[in-house]
Amino acid sequence: AFEEPFVLDCMIRITFVTGAGKQARAKYDDGAAKAVTSVLNKYGYQDDRGASCVLECAGSYKLQHDTGKNLKTVVVFPKVTTNDDNDSGPHQAEPLIPKNSEGYKIAIMSMNVFKNMINSKCPSWSQKKGCLSCIEALLEILQELDAKLMDGTSLNDSEQSYYDDVVSLDEKALHVKHEMNNHIETGRITKFELETLLKQNSERIEALKNEKKSTAKALQRKELLESIQPISPHKLRLEEEIRKFRKELTPLLQLEAVARGRLLSVKETQTLARKDEIVEEIEYLENASRGWFEDDEAFESRVQASRDVYAEKRKKKAAKAALISSDTKVRMSATKFVTPGQGRVRSKGSSKIKNRVKGGGVFSAMIMDSDSDSDNEVEEEEDEDEIIEQEGNENADAPIDPTTQKTKKKKKKKKKPKQDASPAEGDVSNEGEEEDEKTTLARANSFLQTYIIPFLMAFLRWFVGLLFGKPKKSVRPK
């Protein structure tokens, strides 16, 4: 129906319903939109997201999602020719090839423009093969027109326009063949293209054997093809935009997986409502990334490769995040948080003092932690006194060298600030007074813990018992 143009005075819009949202998705086939667009592409229609119902947009279509009706549609603006009775101006003949088609652009462009175009619009070997088939079809039309002229038949307006506009088709065909051969020699062939070439080569060898001709060149070509390491497919033209939508879709898929089997909150429902729109946008961008002369199999392999690359990156990122989190947990478990009084070296004297403090409970533990510093200081002073007494017994006649005494003290008490090597007599007396004060404080502390605190605790128990009373004991009858 869309192969021939419609005879109309104004543009019309034809809408095909090809799918629906989540609630009515099962009513439509998944490949409905693809089937419609493939036929339109075959007849020279172009995908135009900005197309509208005007004559300038004839021969185009666009994919839409009607959110109000929750339907997916393909809107077609057909090719239109005006009626001769209603034409006010001179009649313009319909071109032999649609002006928006790739074949028309290739036929009329110059050779220099064609060389630049072939690398950008047809980067792969399979696309160049499709371009070569198109050029060969254009050459057949040109040869038919030449045959007409040779027979003396005049050309109509469309044929004459085509005959005048076509430029250097033979040179373009040779250039494409040269580029295809370069792809094979340099190994720029994908896995799908390599399988196609090997299949063609095997068919060629069988045909030569049936015709009883030499197969040397075909076998040499087979060895060259088998030595090629296939490359990854070319990226999609709109890969960057697709990646952004996929990144936005990832947390929504995770939310949907977590929320499966339970009721969703209002916020979660609103968030997941965006998922269908993102999926449709990704599908549209993938279809819009189809290159010139790219068949369905080659295009599907490129789309699948793009999805696989993104999935692989997601797996690597998730594994890296899991590794970082596990390392953090190990470091947190290995870290020790030291509270005041914990981890200090306690001597035997301090343990004796702890044993003297009776009465279990939190209060006793608090007393022991708070007095650990004073116990350590008392023990260090006792050790220093013992060292001094031993030196005095060994060297009773020899005078005591204050420098030696200082160094011994430094070994036991490193936190004490460094003093001069030759102290005065006043400093020695000050040190003695400080030691006496520390000893007095330690004894007072010990007296407090041994007598005063137990007395206060006993008084407190008595007062509580007096205030609330004691439980009565049950007396058993004799």
Side-chain angles (χ1 to χ4, degrees):
F2 291 95
E3 186 175 4
E4 298 295 332
F6 290 77
V7 181
L8 298 170
D9 297 332
C10 60
M11 177 54 65
I12 62 172
R13 178 175 61 188
I14 302 173
T15 303
F16 294 93
V17 180
T18 57
K22 192 173 183 180
Q23 298 177 353
R25 187 178 298 169
K27 296 180 181 179
Y28 302 91
D29 188 84
D30 295 336
K34 185 178 179 181
V36 174
T37 55
S38 61
V39 174
L40 293 173
N41 291 328
K42 179 181 177 182
Y43 292 139
Y45 283 76
Q46 298 295 316
D47 184 7
D48 186 3
R49 297 185 69 178
S52 58
C53 195
V54 293
L55 289 173
E56 288 77 6
C57 295
S60 61
Y61 68 90
K62 62 180 179 179
L63 302 175
Q64 282 188 337
H65 181 200
D66 190 346
T67 55
K69 299 179 181 179
N70 199 18
L71 294 175
K72 298 179 183 179
T73 59
V74 178
V75 182
V76 183
F77 302 100
K79 300 173 184 177
V80 175
T81 57
T82 56
N83 196 343
D84 293 338
D85 298 334
N86 298 329
D87 283 342
S88 58
H91 176 69
Q92 294 181 355
E94 181 69 18
L96 199 61
I97 299 174
K99 290 186 176 180
N100 292 328
S101 63
E102 292 88 353
Y104 181 80
K105 295 174 183 177
I106 290 174
I108 65 173
M109 67 177 57
S110 63
M111 191 62 192
N112 293 330
V113 176
F114 178 78
K115 288 180 179 179
N116 295 328
M117 181 278 303
I118 197 66
N119 293 323
S120 60
K121 297 293 185 180
C122 305
S124 64
W125 178 88
S126 58
Q127 289 177 275
K128 289 183 173 66
K129 181 184 176 185
C131 181
L132 181 61
S133 301
C134 178
I135 295 174
E136 290 175 350
L138 295 174
L139 282 171
E140 290 179 2
I141 296 174
L142 186 62
Q143 291 172 1
E144 290 176 1
L145 297 180
D146 285 334
K148 263 188 170 184
L149 293 174
M150 294 295 293
D151 293 339
T153 306
S154 61
L155 304 177
N156 57 31
D157 295 339
S158 299
E159 293 172 343
Q160 187 65 44
S161 176
Y162 174 81
Y163 192 84
D164 295 337
D165 293 340
V166 166
V167 178
S168 308
L169 290 179
D170 293 327
E171 295 180 11
K172 292 173 183 176
L174 291 174
H175 179 72
V176 173
K177 289 180 181 178
H178 178 69
E179 290 292 327
M180 292 174 63
N181 192 33
N182 285 339
H183 273 272
I184 297 173
E185 291 179 354
T186 56
R188 292 181 290 124
I189 302 294
T190 62
K191 184 178 179 180
F192 172 77
E193 294 169 349
L194 183 60
E195 292 174 356
T196 304
L197 285 168
L198 289 172
K199 184 178 179 181
Q200 291 179 356
N201 182 260
S202 61
E203 292 175 356
R204 175 67 176 167
I205 291 173
E206 290 294 330
L208 291 174
K209 286 181 180 179
N210 294 333
E211 295 175 2
K212 296 181 180 181
K213 295 183 179 179
S214 175
T215 59
K217 290 184 178 180
L219 293 173
Q220 186 178 0
R221 183 63 170 259
K222 184 178 180 181
E223 293 178 359
L224 176 62
L225 293 174
E226 291 176 349
S227 63
I228 292 175
Q229 294 293 332
I231 62 174
S232 57
H234 296 279
K235 290 184 179 181
L236 298 176
R237 183 169 59 88
L238 303 175
E239 182 73 27
E240 296 298 328
E241 298 180 23
I242 294 172
R243 190 181 293 117
K244 292 178 183 178
F245 282 106
R246 284 174 178 167
K247 191 178 293 185
E248 187 180 354
L249 180 64
T250 301
L252 300 182
L253 294 176
Q254 294 175 354
L255 176 61
E256 187 180 31
V258 171
R260 189 171 295 171
R262 65 175 177 86
L263 292 176
L264 300 176
S265 63
V266 177
K267 186 176 181 181
E268 289 175 342
T269 305
Q270 292 175 353
T271 304
L272 288 177
R274 169 76 175 146
K275 177 198 160 191
D276 294 336
E277 297 178 4
I278 296 174
V279 171
E280 293 166 8
E281 193 68 24
I282 291 173
E283 291 178 358
Y284 176 81
L285 292 173
E286 287 176 347
N287 293 327
S289 299
R290 183 189 290 266
W292 282 15
F293 311 109
E294 191 171 18
D295 55 4
D296 293 338
E297 292 183 4
F299 177 66
E300 287 297 331
S301 66
R302 283 209 302 147
V303 172
Q304 189 60 40
S306 174
R307 294 171 181 171
D308 294 341
V309 168
Y310 182 74
E312 188 67 23
K313 287 183 179 179
R314 276 189 59 195
K315 288 181 181 178
K316 289 182 179 178
K317 192 174 181 180
K320 188 176 180 181
L323 182 62
I324 292 173
S325 63
S326 62
D327 291 344
T328 306
K329 288 180 181 179
V330 170
R331 290 174 186 172
M332 291 292 291
S333 61
T335 305
K336 294 182 179 179
F337 297 96
V338 181
T339 57
Q342 182 182 356
R344 294 177 181 172
V345 179
R346 303 182 186 276
S347 59
K348 296 179 181 178
S350 62
S351 62
K352 290 179 182 178
I353 295 172
K354 284 182 187 179
N355 293 332
R356 277 184 286 172
V357 179
K358 296 183 179 180
V362 181
F363 192 76
S364 301
M366 292 170 61
I367 293 171
M368 287 188 288
D369 287 338
S370 62
D371 296 334
S372 59
D373 294 337
S374 61
D375 295 340
N376 291 336
E377 292 175 358
V378 172
E379 290 162 11
E380 288 177 0
E381 290 170 2
E382 291 175 357
D383 293 340
E384 290 170 3
D385 294 339
E386 290 176 1
I387 293 169
I388 294 171
E389 288 176 1
Q390 290 176 3
E391 290 179 355
N393 294 333
E394 291 177 359
N395 304 321
D397 300 334
I400 298 174
D401 189 4
T403 310
T404 320
Q405 187 175 357
K406 292 262 187 220
T407 53
K408 302 256 180 162
K409 288 182 181 180
K410 285 178 187 176
K411 291 180 181 178
K412 288 290 182 179
K413 195 170 183 180
K414 295 183 179 179
K415 291 185 178 180
K416 191 171 182 180
K418 190 174 180 180
Q419 298 179 357
D420 297 336
S422 57
E425 294 179 357
D427 296 339
V428 176
S429 62
N430 291 335
E431 289 176 1
E433 292 176 0
E434 290 177 359
E435 291 175 0
D436 293 340
E437 289 178 1
K438 291 179 180 179
T439 306
T440 305
L441 290 173
R443 290 174 181 174
N445 233 344
S446 177
F447 179 78
L448 181 66
Q449 295 176 10
T450 307
Y451 300 104
I452 303 300
I453 292 175
F455 173 76
L456 292 175
M457 294 296 294
F459 176 78
L460 185 62
R461 290 194 195 97
W462 172 80
F463 180 75
V464 171
L466 185 64
L467 188 63
F468 296 101
K470 296 181 180 179
K472 295 181 180 180
K473 297 183 179 178
S474 60
V475 181
R476 295 181 181 179
K478 294 182 179 180

